[in-house]
């Protein structure tokens, strides 16, 4: 995937109407500190287009990035951040649900899981919830550079088991530092979802 242009076209808050896009959309979901902004910046070949924050839970909106005027990369708000009130969490949940139900162009959801840890209860809940909405998320195991190479297979197995993934489910190990996994994400997106 050659990135020629990136535009942050629409930012939707809790009360916003979702855009009625005519181009395909691929969405990215993940826990607040899983490295979603870093992944999105790596995919878009931009240093800091998606804001990376020292404070998890910063993305409280759904951000639509128009890529090459061909499709949208959709950044969903991070979930599971403790310092946010239950009421706020509920609002975000409803906003994401509205998007997953309402988008006519959504082709795929990528769910980010930190490869260093077993999936949390929130991760499992999010996975099951995305499946319940009719999507089978592609799993991206982030922060690959933070573990030893010898631990990779063991940790990938823990991710698969922790989420209860079906046999053939795709899990892509990813590092925003080395960019390992970037090409695999784009290849899969282009081949399966952006035709």
């Amino acid at each position: 995937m050659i990135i020629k242009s990136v535009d942050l076209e629409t930012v939707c808050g809790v009360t916003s109407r979702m855009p009625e896009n005519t181009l395909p959309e691929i969405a990215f979901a993940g826990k607040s500190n899983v490295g979603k902004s870093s992944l999105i910046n790596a995919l878009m070949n931009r240093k800091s287009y998606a804001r990376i924050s020292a404070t998890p839970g910063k993305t409280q909106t759904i951000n639509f990035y128009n890529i090459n005027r061909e499709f949208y990369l959709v950044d969903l708000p991070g979930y599971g951040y403790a310092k946010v009130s239950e009421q706020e969490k509920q609002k975000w949940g409803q906003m994401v649900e509205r998007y997953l139900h309402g988008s006519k162009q959504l082709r795929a959801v990528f769910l980010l899981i930190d490869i260093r840890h077993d999936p949390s209860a929130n991760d499992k809940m999010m996975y099951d919830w995305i499946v319940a909405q009719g999507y089978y998320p592609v799993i991206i195991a982030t922060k690959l550079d933070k573990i030893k190479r010898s631990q990779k297979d063991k940790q990938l197995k823990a991710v698969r088991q922790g989420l209860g993934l079906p046999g053939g489910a795709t899990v892509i190990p990813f590092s925003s530092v080395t960019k390992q996994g970037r090409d695999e994400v784009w290849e899969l997106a282009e081949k399966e979802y952006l035709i």
Side-chain angles (χ1 to χ4, degrees), residues 76-90:
L76 299 174
Y79 58 84
Y81 185 51
K83 283 193 181 156
V84 175
S85 73
E86 279 309 312
Q87 206 178 353
E88 279 297 303
K89 283 183 195 169
Q90 213 173 351

Side-chain angles (χ1 to χ4, degrees), residues 148-180:
K148 293 191 182 93
R149 197 171 287 178
S150 59
Q151 295 175 297
K152 186 174 115 177
D153 289 343
K154 180 175 147 284
Q155 291 307 111
L156 287 174
K157 190 177 173 190
V159 167
R160 285 181 177 282
Q161 286 177 337
L163 293 175
L165 297 183
T170 305
V171 179
I172 301 173
F174 181 85
S175 162
S176 60
V177 175
T178 66
K179 306 289 186 283
Q180 186 179 336

Side-chain angles (χ1 to χ4, degrees), residues 113-131:
I113 305 289
D114 188 331
I115 197 167
R116 299 172 300 175
H117 312 293
D118 289 355
S120 66
N122 275 328
D123 289 328
K124 175 73 174 130
M125 206 162 69
M126 190 64 177
Y127 174 79
D128 291 342
W129 186 69
I130 293 168
V131 170

Side-chain angles (χ1 to χ4, degrees), residues 15-146:
T15 56
S16 314
R17 279 188 57 191
M18 295 293 161
E20 293 187 13
N21 293 326
T22 53
L23 297 172
E25 298 167 357
I26 53 173
F28 290 80
K31 216 166 31 184
S32 294
N33 54 354
V34 76
K36 192 156 49 68
S37 298
S38 301
L39 169 99
I40 287 171
N41 285 327
L43 289 175
M44 297 191 303
N45 254 347
R46 300 294 188 271
K47 268 274 189 291
S48 53
Y49 211 88
R51 288 196 303 278
I52 297 167
S53 165
T55 326
K58 201 73 175 156
T59 309
Q60 299 183 12
T61 52
I62 299 180
N63 299 332
F64 291 80
Y65 296 95
N66 185 326
I67 311 287
N68 296 346
R69 308 247 169 278
E70 289 170 7
F71 66 94
Y72 289 95
L73 192 157
V74 182
D75 182 7
L76 299 174
Y79 58 84
Y81 185 51
K83 283 193 181 156
V84 175
S85 73
E86 279 309 312
Q87 206 178 353
E88 279 297 303
K89 283 183 195 169
Q90 213 173 351
K91 280 185 193 159
W92 291 0
Q94 287 163 350
M95 177 170 69
V96 173
E97 189 166 359
R98 215 171 71 220
Y99 169 66
L100 292 181
H101 273 307
S103 170
K104 293 181 174 63
Q105 297 300 332
L106 180 60
R107 302 288 167 84
V109 180
F110 288 80
L111 178 60
L112 281 61
I113 305 289
D114 188 331
I115 197 167
R116 299 172 300 175
H117 312 293
D118 289 355
S120 66
N122 275 328
D123 289 328
K124 175 73 174 130
M125 206 162 69
M126 190 64 177
Y127 174 79
D128 291 342
W129 186 69
I130 293 168
V131 170
Q133 309 300 317
Y135 295 93
Y136 284 90
V138 175
I139 307 303
I140 301 179
T142 60
K143 309 202 180 190
L144 180 62
D145 51 283
K146 302 248 195 294

